[in-house]
Amino acid sequence: GADTVASVSRVPYHFGAEKQLRLGPGGSLSARDGRHPRELTHRRQDVAASYAFNGLVYACRTALLEREEPTLWGDRVLGYEVEPIYAFDLDEPEDWAPAEARMRELLEIEAR
């Protein structure tokens, strides 16, 4: 029943929005939204899980692409969770060799 499905991976807790800070003038710290650090969630066990698109899969209904203004994003968007070890960033040519090596390792492990 989804209009769009996109693959996502869980973001390590220390990279989540609740742990991100801004370094201001004179080294002052605040949350990204301006809150004082004491207002943040400090125990990692209390930080809500967050996810990020990993770029492996984007799927959508054809009708979305055939619109006057094409889009991938329908009204009902679902995430397909992929373990981070399977999500490779291939943004530059030099990213391929390490990704291929890691994939060979993963395939060897799964073959055992």
Side-chain angles (χ1 to χ4, degrees):
D3 297 312
T4 304
V5 175
S7 59
V8 296
S9 293
R10 190 171 183 166
V11 175
Y13 77 89
H14 54 280
F15 292 130
E18 191 63 25
K19 292 291 188 181
Q20 293 183 6
L21 303 166
R22 290 182 192 239
L23 189 59
S28 63
L29 282 179
S30 64
R32 289 181 6 176
D33 61 6
R35 289 181 292 156
H36 191 279
R38 76 173 148 271
E39 298 174 47
L40 298 175
T41 303
H42 293 282
R43 285 179 11 108
R44 69 171 175 78
Q45 298 88 340
D46 297 332
V47 174
S50 62
Y51 296 82
F53 295 115
N54 58 33
L56 294 174
V57 175
Y58 290 98
C60 68
R61 295 187 182 276
T62 306
L64 294 170
L65 298 174
E66 294 173 339
R67 289 182 176 179
E68 188 173 320
E69 292 184 32
T71 181
L72 293 173
W73 307 106
D75 292 332
R76 185 156 191 255
V77 179
L78 298 182
Y80 177 77
E81 187 176 358
V82 175
E83 293 296 322
I85 62 169
Y86 299 108
F88 301 101
D89 284 329
L90 300 173
D91 299 322
E92 304 292 333
E94 57 269 16
D95 296 336
W96 280 92
E100 287 177 348
R102 181 66 181 143
M103 184 55 76
R104 276 193 293 279
E105 290 174 21
L106 293 169
L107 290 171
E108 287 174 12
I109 291 168
E110 289 184 10
R112 292 181 195 158

